[in-house]
Amino acid sequence: MSLFKKTVTRYTDPDGKRCLKDFPGAKKTQERSQDWYCRYLDADGIRREKRLCKNKTAAQTMLNALVLNVEREKAGLVDSRMAEHASRTLTDHLNDFCDTLRSKNNTPKHIKTTQSRLESVFNGCSFRRLIDLDRDRTSNWLRSQRDADEIGIQTSNYYVAACKQFGKWLMESDRLPRNPFAGLPKLNSDTDQRVVRRALSDAELSQLIATTAESEKVFRDLPGVDRAILYAVASFTGLRANELASLTVDSIDFESGIITVDAAYSKRRRKDDIPLHPYLADMLRPWLAERVRTTKSEQPATLKLQRDVKASEELWAGTWSERSA
Protein backbone atom coordinates (compact mmCIF):
# COMPACT_ATOMS: atom_id res chain seq x y z
CA MET A 1 0.00 0.00 0.00
CA SER A 2 1.58 3.29 -1.00
CA LEU A 3 0.87 6.86 -2.01
CA PHE A 4 2.75 8.44 -4.89
CA LYS A 5 2.61 11.07 -7.59
CA LYS A 6 3.01 10.05 -11.19
CA THR A 7 5.71 11.43 -13.46
CA VAL A 8 4.05 12.99 -16.48
CA THR A 9 5.97 13.51 -19.74
CA ARG A 10 4.98 16.58 -21.76
CA TYR A 11 6.31 18.36 -24.85
CA THR A 12 6.51 22.11 -25.39
CA ASP A 13 7.31 24.23 -28.44
CA PRO A 14 10.06 26.92 -28.48
CA ASP A 15 7.52 29.38 -27.02
CA GLY A 16 6.84 27.15 -24.03
CA LYS A 17 3.37 26.04 -25.15
CA ARG A 18 2.29 22.42 -24.99
CA CYS A 19 2.52 20.59 -28.31
CA LEU A 20 2.73 17.15 -29.85
CA LYS A 21 5.83 15.01 -29.69
CA ASP A 22 6.51 15.36 -33.42
CA PHE A 23 6.19 19.16 -33.47
CA PRO A 24 9.34 20.85 -34.88
CA GLY A 25 11.58 21.96 -32.02
CA ALA A 26 9.48 20.17 -29.39
CA LYS A 27 11.20 19.97 -26.02
CA LYS A 28 10.62 17.06 -23.66
CA THR A 29 9.81 17.89 -20.04
CA GLN A 30 8.82 15.76 -17.06
CA GLU A 31 6.47 16.93 -14.35
CA ARG A 32 4.87 15.39 -11.29
CA SER A 33 1.11 14.94 -11.40
CA GLN A 34 -0.99 17.24 -9.27
CA ASP A 35 -3.12 14.35 -7.97
CA TRP A 36 -1.95 11.63 -5.60
CA TYR A 37 -2.27 7.99 -6.62
CA CYS A 38 -2.17 4.76 -4.67
CA ARG A 39 -1.31 1.13 -5.23
CA TYR A 40 -2.91 -1.62 -3.20
CA LEU A 41 -3.88 -5.30 -3.34
CA ASP A 42 -7.59 -6.06 -3.67
CA ALA A 43 -9.39 -8.95 -1.98
CA ASP A 44 -8.29 -11.31 -4.77
CA GLY A 45 -4.63 -10.36 -4.36
CA ILE A 46 -4.59 -8.37 -7.62
CA ARG A 47 -2.47 -5.24 -7.66
CA ARG A 48 -4.57 -2.14 -8.30
CA GLU A 49 -3.78 1.49 -9.01
CA LYS A 50 -6.25 4.28 -8.29
CA ARG A 51 -6.29 8.04 -8.70
CA LEU A 52 -7.18 9.85 -5.49
CA CYS A 53 -7.03 13.65 -5.04
CA LYS A 54 -4.64 16.63 -4.77
CA ASN A 55 -4.56 16.86 -0.97
CA LYS A 56 -2.15 14.35 0.59
CA THR A 57 -3.99 14.07 3.91
CA ALA A 58 -7.30 13.45 2.14
CA ALA A 59 -5.60 10.98 -0.21
CA GLN A 60 -4.24 9.04 2.77
CA THR A 61 -7.74 8.91 4.26
CA MET A 62 -9.11 7.58 0.96
CA LEU A 63 -6.39 4.94 0.84
CA ASN A 64 -7.18 3.86 4.40
CA ALA A 65 -10.83 3.48 3.41
CA LEU A 66 -9.83 1.34 0.42
CA VAL A 67 -7.73 -0.91 2.64
CA LEU A 68 -10.60 -1.23 5.11
CA ASN A 69 -13.02 -2.21 2.35
CA VAL A 70 -10.55 -4.84 1.11
CA GLU A 71 -10.33 -6.35 4.58
CA ARG A 72 -14.11 -6.32 4.97
CA GLU A 73 -14.53 -7.96 1.58
CA LYS A 74 -12.06 -10.68 2.55
CA ALA A 75 -14.17 -11.31 5.63
CA GLY A 76 -17.30 -11.52 3.48
CA LEU A 77 -18.84 -8.40 4.97
CA VAL A 78 -19.09 -6.26 1.81
CA ASP A 79 -19.13 -6.56 -1.97
CA SER A 80 -16.53 -4.24 -3.47
CA ARG A 81 -18.54 -3.81 -6.67
CA MET A 82 -21.55 -2.57 -4.74
CA ALA A 83 -19.34 -0.28 -2.68
CA GLU A 84 -17.94 1.25 -5.84
CA HIS A 85 -21.40 1.71 -7.37
CA ALA A 86 -22.66 3.32 -4.17
CA SER A 87 -20.37 6.30 -4.70
CA ARG A 88 -21.72 7.05 -8.19
CA THR A 89 -24.63 9.38 -8.88
CA LEU A 90 -28.05 8.16 -9.94
CA THR A 91 -27.55 9.98 -13.23
CA ASP A 92 -24.60 7.67 -13.98
CA HIS A 93 -26.66 4.58 -13.17
CA LEU A 94 -29.61 5.84 -15.21
CA ASN A 95 -27.36 6.37 -18.23
CA ASP A 96 -26.04 2.81 -17.86
CA PHE A 97 -29.61 1.55 -17.57
CA CYS A 98 -30.60 3.32 -20.80
CA ASP A 99 -27.56 1.79 -22.53
CA THR A 100 -28.82 -1.62 -21.45
CA LEU A 101 -32.24 -0.87 -22.91
CA ARG A 102 -30.59 0.12 -26.19
CA SER A 103 -28.60 -3.12 -26.26
CA LYS A 104 -31.90 -4.99 -25.94
CA ASN A 105 -33.16 -3.19 -29.05
CA ASN A 106 -35.83 -1.13 -27.27
CA THR A 107 -37.19 1.73 -29.35
CA PRO A 108 -35.74 5.23 -28.84
CA LYS A 109 -39.21 6.48 -27.89
CA HIS A 110 -39.56 3.85 -25.13
CA ILE A 111 -36.09 4.61 -23.78
CA LYS A 112 -36.73 8.35 -23.77
CA THR A 113 -40.08 7.94 -22.02
CA THR A 114 -38.68 5.56 -19.40
CA GLN A 115 -35.74 7.87 -18.70
CA SER A 116 -38.04 10.88 -18.38
CA ARG A 117 -40.30 9.11 -15.89
CA LEU A 118 -37.41 7.96 -13.73
CA GLU A 119 -35.85 11.44 -13.76
CA SER A 120 -39.19 12.88 -12.61
CA VAL A 121 -39.29 10.42 -9.69
CA PHE A 122 -35.67 11.10 -8.73
CA ASN A 123 -36.15 14.87 -8.81
CA GLY A 124 -39.53 14.74 -7.06
CA CYS A 125 -38.18 12.56 -4.24
CA SER A 126 -34.72 14.23 -4.14
CA PHE A 127 -32.97 10.96 -4.88
CA ARG A 128 -29.28 11.52 -5.67
CA ARG A 129 -27.54 8.20 -4.97
CA LEU A 130 -28.49 4.55 -4.70
CA ILE A 131 -28.78 4.74 -0.92
CA ASP A 132 -31.54 7.36 -1.32
CA LEU A 133 -33.89 5.11 -3.30
CA ASP A 134 -36.95 4.38 -1.19
CA ARG A 135 -40.25 2.71 -2.01
CA ASP A 136 -42.38 4.65 0.50
CA ARG A 137 -41.05 8.06 -0.57
CA THR A 138 -41.78 7.14 -4.18
CA SER A 139 -45.30 6.01 -3.29
CA ASN A 140 -45.97 9.24 -1.38
CA TRP A 141 -44.69 11.38 -4.27
CA LEU A 142 -46.90 9.56 -6.77
CA ARG A 143 -49.88 10.06 -4.48
CA SER A 144 -49.14 13.78 -4.24
CA GLN A 145 -49.00 13.99 -8.03
CA ARG A 146 -52.36 12.23 -8.34
CA ASP A 147 -53.93 14.43 -5.64
CA ALA A 148 -52.72 17.53 -7.48
CA ASP A 149 -54.28 16.10 -10.67
CA GLU A 150 -50.86 16.20 -12.36
CA ILE A 151 -51.15 12.55 -13.38
CA GLY A 152 -53.90 9.95 -13.49
CA ILE A 153 -53.89 6.44 -12.07
CA GLN A 154 -52.83 4.83 -15.35
CA THR A 155 -49.89 7.23 -15.72
CA SER A 156 -48.97 6.60 -12.08
CA ASN A 157 -48.85 2.88 -12.88
CA TYR A 158 -46.47 3.59 -15.76
CA TYR A 159 -44.13 5.34 -13.30
CA VAL A 160 -44.35 2.34 -10.97
CA ALA A 161 -43.45 -0.03 -13.81
CA ALA A 162 -40.42 2.10 -14.76
CA CYS A 163 -39.20 2.20 -11.14
CA LYS A 164 -39.56 -1.56 -10.69
CA GLN A 165 -37.75 -2.24 -13.96
CA PHE A 166 -34.90 0.06 -12.91
CA GLY A 167 -34.72 -1.54 -9.44
CA LYS A 168 -34.63 -5.05 -10.92
CA TRP A 169 -31.79 -4.01 -13.22
CA LEU A 170 -29.86 -2.56 -10.26
CA MET A 171 -30.13 -5.89 -8.48
CA GLU A 172 -29.27 -8.01 -11.54
CA SER A 173 -26.20 -5.86 -12.31
CA ASP A 174 -24.89 -6.27 -8.74
CA ARG A 175 -25.39 -2.61 -7.85
CA LEU A 176 -27.83 -3.26 -5.00
CA PRO A 177 -28.57 -6.42 -3.00
CA ARG A 178 -32.33 -5.97 -3.45
CA ASN A 179 -34.88 -4.07 -5.52
CA PRO A 180 -35.65 -0.85 -3.59
CA PHE A 181 -39.00 -0.53 -5.39
CA ALA A 182 -40.17 -4.09 -4.71
CA GLY A 183 -43.73 -4.04 -3.42
CA LEU A 184 -44.52 -0.63 -4.89
CA PRO A 185 -48.22 -1.13 -5.67
CA LYS A 186 -50.09 -0.45 -8.86
CA LEU A 187 -53.60 0.95 -8.59
CA ASN A 188 -56.80 -0.06 -10.34
CA SER A 189 -56.96 2.24 -13.36
CA ASP A 190 -60.58 1.21 -14.04
CA THR A 191 -61.64 3.53 -11.21
CA ASP A 192 -60.20 6.54 -13.04
CA GLN A 193 -61.21 6.22 -16.67
CA ARG A 194 -60.78 9.72 -18.03
CA VAL A 195 -61.38 8.60 -21.60
CA VAL A 196 -63.70 5.70 -22.36
CA ARG A 197 -62.51 4.13 -25.59
CA ARG A 198 -64.66 2.06 -27.91
CA ALA A 199 -64.46 0.70 -31.43
CA LEU A 200 -66.05 2.63 -34.27
CA SER A 201 -69.13 1.11 -35.85
CA ASP A 202 -68.99 0.18 -39.51
CA ALA A 203 -71.06 3.26 -40.38
CA GLU A 204 -68.82 5.56 -38.32
CA LEU A 205 -65.65 4.15 -39.87
CA SER A 206 -67.04 4.52 -43.39
CA GLN A 207 -68.08 8.10 -42.65
CA LEU A 208 -64.64 8.92 -41.18
CA ILE A 209 -62.78 7.60 -44.23
CA ALA A 210 -65.15 9.23 -46.76
CA THR A 211 -65.14 12.61 -45.00
CA THR A 212 -61.36 12.62 -44.61
CA ALA A 213 -60.85 11.77 -48.29
CA GLU A 214 -62.82 14.89 -49.24
CA SER A 215 -61.01 17.13 -46.75
CA GLU A 216 -58.80 19.92 -48.08
CA LYS A 217 -56.93 20.21 -44.79
CA VAL A 218 -53.26 19.16 -44.81
CA PHE A 219 -51.97 17.78 -41.50
CA ARG A 220 -48.18 17.52 -41.20
CA ASP A 221 -47.80 17.24 -44.99
CA LEU A 222 -50.53 14.61 -45.29
CA PRO A 223 -53.49 15.62 -47.48
CA GLY A 224 -56.97 14.28 -46.82
CA VAL A 225 -56.79 11.44 -49.34
CA ASP A 226 -53.54 10.12 -47.85
CA ARG A 227 -54.96 10.32 -44.33
CA ALA A 228 -58.10 8.46 -45.42
CA ILE A 229 -56.03 5.58 -46.78
CA LEU A 230 -53.91 5.66 -43.63
CA TYR A 231 -57.05 5.34 -41.45
CA ALA A 232 -58.26 2.45 -43.57
CA VAL A 233 -54.95 0.57 -43.30
CA ALA A 234 -54.85 1.20 -39.55
CA SER A 235 -58.41 -0.09 -39.12
CA PHE A 236 -58.00 -3.22 -41.23
CA THR A 237 -54.57 -4.22 -39.86
CA GLY A 238 -54.46 -2.96 -36.25
CA LEU A 239 -50.93 -1.65 -36.78
CA ARG A 240 -49.58 1.02 -34.41
CA ALA A 241 -48.56 4.50 -35.48
CA ASN A 242 -44.81 3.81 -35.70
CA GLU A 243 -45.48 0.56 -37.59
CA LEU A 244 -47.70 2.38 -40.09
CA ALA A 245 -45.09 5.12 -40.50
CA SER A 246 -42.49 2.49 -41.45
CA LEU A 247 -44.49 1.00 -44.33
CA THR A 248 -43.06 1.34 -47.83
CA VAL A 249 -44.23 0.14 -51.24
CA ASP A 250 -42.31 -3.08 -50.73
CA SER A 251 -44.30 -3.68 -47.54
CA ILE A 252 -47.43 -4.38 -49.61
CA ASP A 253 -47.63 -7.62 -51.58
CA PHE A 254 -50.87 -7.80 -53.55
CA GLU A 255 -50.06 -11.22 -55.02
CA SER A 256 -49.55 -12.89 -51.64
CA GLY A 257 -52.16 -10.70 -49.97
CA ILE A 258 -50.01 -9.51 -47.04
CA ILE A 259 -48.60 -6.34 -45.51
CA THR A 260 -45.16 -6.80 -43.94
CA VAL A 261 -43.79 -4.89 -40.95
CA ASP A 262 -40.03 -5.12 -40.45
CA ALA A 263 -38.77 -6.43 -37.11
CA ALA A 264 -37.10 -3.09 -36.32
CA TYR A 265 -40.53 -1.42 -36.10
CA SER A 266 -42.69 -4.26 -34.81
CA LYS A 267 -43.62 -4.18 -31.14
CA ARG A 268 -42.77 -7.89 -30.91
CA ARG A 269 -39.34 -7.23 -32.46
CA ARG A 270 -39.90 -9.74 -35.23
CA LYS A 271 -41.05 -9.58 -38.83
CA ASP A 272 -44.84 -9.52 -38.98
CA ASP A 273 -47.00 -10.47 -41.99
CA ILE A 274 -50.52 -9.01 -41.76
CA PRO A 275 -53.29 -10.36 -44.05
CA LEU A 276 -54.34 -7.81 -46.68
CA HIS A 277 -58.14 -7.61 -46.75
CA PRO A 278 -59.55 -7.63 -50.32
CA TYR A 279 -61.54 -4.43 -49.64
CA LEU A 280 -58.37 -2.71 -48.40
CA ALA A 281 -56.41 -3.99 -51.43
CA ASP A 282 -59.02 -2.42 -53.74
CA MET A 283 -58.52 0.92 -51.97
CA LEU A 284 -54.72 0.74 -52.08
CA ARG A 285 -54.26 -0.13 -55.76
CA PRO A 286 -55.65 3.11 -57.30
CA TRP A 287 -54.10 5.21 -54.54
CA LEU A 288 -50.64 3.80 -55.20
CA ALA A 289 -51.13 4.13 -58.96
CA GLU A 290 -52.10 7.78 -58.57
CA ARG A 291 -48.97 8.46 -56.51
CA VAL A 292 -46.89 6.98 -59.35
CA ARG A 293 -48.56 9.20 -61.96
CA THR A 294 -47.94 12.22 -59.74
CA THR A 295 -44.30 11.33 -59.25
CA LYS A 296 -43.43 9.79 -62.63
CA SER A 297 -46.01 11.15 -65.04
CA GLU A 298 -44.00 10.14 -68.07
CA GLN A 299 -44.07 6.45 -67.15
CA PRO A 300 -47.00 4.00 -66.97
CA ALA A 301 -48.51 3.64 -63.50
CA THR A 302 -48.17 -0.08 -62.88
CA LEU A 303 -47.69 -1.77 -59.53
CA LYS A 304 -44.37 -3.20 -60.65
CA LEU A 305 -43.17 0.26 -61.61
CA GLN A 306 -44.40 1.56 -58.27
CA ARG A 307 -42.14 -0.93 -56.53
CA ASP A 308 -39.16 -0.09 -58.72
CA VAL A 309 -39.55 3.66 -58.47
CA LYS A 310 -40.40 4.13 -54.79
CA ALA A 311 -39.67 0.81 -53.13
CA SER A 312 -37.83 2.32 -50.17
CA GLU A 313 -39.93 5.47 -49.76
CA GLU A 314 -42.31 5.63 -46.80
CA LEU A 315 -45.94 5.68 -47.85
CA TRP A 316 -46.83 8.24 -45.19
CA ALA A 317 -43.67 10.23 -44.58
CA GLY A 318 -43.31 13.03 -42.04
CA THR A 319 -43.75 13.51 -38.32
CA TRP A 320 -47.46 12.70 -38.09
CA SER A 321 -46.80 9.49 -36.09
CA GLU A 322 -45.32 11.53 -33.22
CA ARG A 323 -48.54 13.50 -32.69
CA SER A 324 -51.27 11.31 -34.13
CA ALA A 325 -54.69 10.65 -32.62
Side-chain angles (χ1 to χ4, degrees):
M1 311 290 181
S2 61
L3 281 177
F4 66 96
K5 284 193 172 184
K6 284 188 173 183
T7 299
V8 181
T9 302
R10 305 185 189 279
Y11 293 87
T12 58
D13 62 17
D15 295 329
K17 297 181 180 179
R18 291 183 59 181
C19 65
L20 297 177
K21 178 180 179 180
D22 299 331
F23 189 84
K27 181 180 179 181
K28 180 180 178 180
T29 60
Q30 291 187 331
E31 305 173 0
R32 296 184 68 192
S33 63
Q34 294 184 354
D35 291 331
W36 287 90
Y37 290 76
C38 73
R39 293 191 184 95
Y40 66 98
L41 297 179
D42 65 14
D44 297 321
I46 300 175
R47 188 177 184 180
R48 303 289 185 183
E49 183 177 297
K50 186 176 181 66
R51 181 179 179 179
L52 301 175
C53 62
K54 296 179 181 180
N55 184 278
K56 185 176 182 179
T57 302
Q60 185 63 57
T61 302
M62 295 171 69
L63 176 58
N64 293 340
L66 284 173
V67 174
L68 178 61
N69 283 334
V70 169
E71 296 302 324
R72 293 181 64 189
E73 186 178 358
K74 287 181 178 179
L77 300 177
V78 68
D79 188 325
S80 62
R81 291 170 298 179
M82 290 187 181
E84 182 178 351
H85 286 308
S87 64
R88 302 175 64 202
T89 65
L90 272 179
T91 301
D92 293 334
H93 294 293
L94 182 55
N95 290 335
D96 291 346
F97 174 62
C98 291
D99 287 339
T100 301
L101 294 181
R102 292 187 189 93
S103 68
K104 292 182 178 180
N105 205 27
N106 283 270
T107 63
K109 181 178 179 181
H110 171 73
I111 296 172
K112 182 179 179 180
T113 302
T114 302
Q115 182 176 7
S116 176
R117 287 170 179 162
L118 289 172
E119 287 175 343
S120 296
V121 173
F122 297 164
N123 293 330
C125 299
S126 298
F127 294 154
R128 296 292 178 266
R129 298 189 182 275
L130 293 179
I131 195 173
D132 298 328
L133 298 179
D134 183 79
R135 177 189 61 193
D136 294 336
R137 285 171 62 183
T138 303
S139 180
N140 291 336
W141 180 78
L142 289 174
R143 183 189 60 196
S144 69
Q145 295 298 295
R146 294 194 302 270
D147 291 345
D149 208 25
E150 294 292 335
I151 60 175
I153 290 180
Q154 185 60 63
T155 302
S156 177
N157 288 341
Y158 291 146
Y159 279 85
V160 170
C163 288
K164 286 185 174 180
Q165 184 183 12
F166 180 65
K168 181 181 178 182
W169 172 80
L170 289 173
M171 185 174 61
E172 292 176 345
S173 58
D174 294 327
R175 298 170 190 241
L176 284 178
R178 61 178 183 83
N179 186 343
F181 300 109
L184 189 62
K186 286 187 175 182
L187 304 178
N188 184 5
S189 59
D190 292 338
T191 62
D192 183 37
Q193 285 196 356
R194 304 191 176 195
V195 178
V196 180
R197 294 179 173 87
R198 66 174 179 84
L200 294 176
S201 66
D202 291 344
E204 289 171 332
L205 179 58
S206 297
Q207 183 179 5
L208 170 65
I209 295 174
T211 304
T212 306
E214 297 174 358
S215 173
E216 297 181 358
K217 180 180 179 180
V218 177
F219 178 78
R220 296 207 172 195
D221 298 329
L222 289 184
V225 174
D226 289 358
R227 295 200 308 277
I229 299 297
L230 174 62
Y231 295 162
V233 174
S235 301
F236 277 91
T237 63
L239 295 177
R240 296 166 178 81
N242 65 316
E243 294 171 330
L244 291 165
S246 72
L247 295 181
T248 65
V249 174
D250 264 355
S251 302
I252 303 175
D253 189 337
F254 290 102
E255 294 182 2
S256 301
I258 59 173
I259 296 179
T260 301
V261 179
D262 290 338
Y265 301 97
S266 170
K267 183 178 181 180
R268 297 186 295 175
R269 285 294 175 267
R270 69 184 188 188
K271 184 178 179 181
D272 287 331
D273 291 331
I274 312 298
L276 178 60
H277 194 281
Y279 177 80
L280 181 59
D282 291 340
M283 293 183 66
L284 283 170
R285 283 192 178 93
W287 177 70
L288 289 176
E290 179 62 29
R291 288 171 64 91
V292 172
R293 282 194 293 270
T294 301
T295 307
K296 298 286 184 179
S297 57
E298 71 279 7
Q299 298 181 5
T302 63
L303 290 178
K304 183 177 186 304
L305 178 61
Q306 171 70 33
R307 290 174 179 273
D308 293 338
V309 172
K310 304 174 68 178
S312 62
E313 181 181 341
E314 295 173 350
L315 295 177
W316 297 280
T319 59
W320 65 269
S321 61
E322 299 174 6
R323 293 290 299 275
S324 57

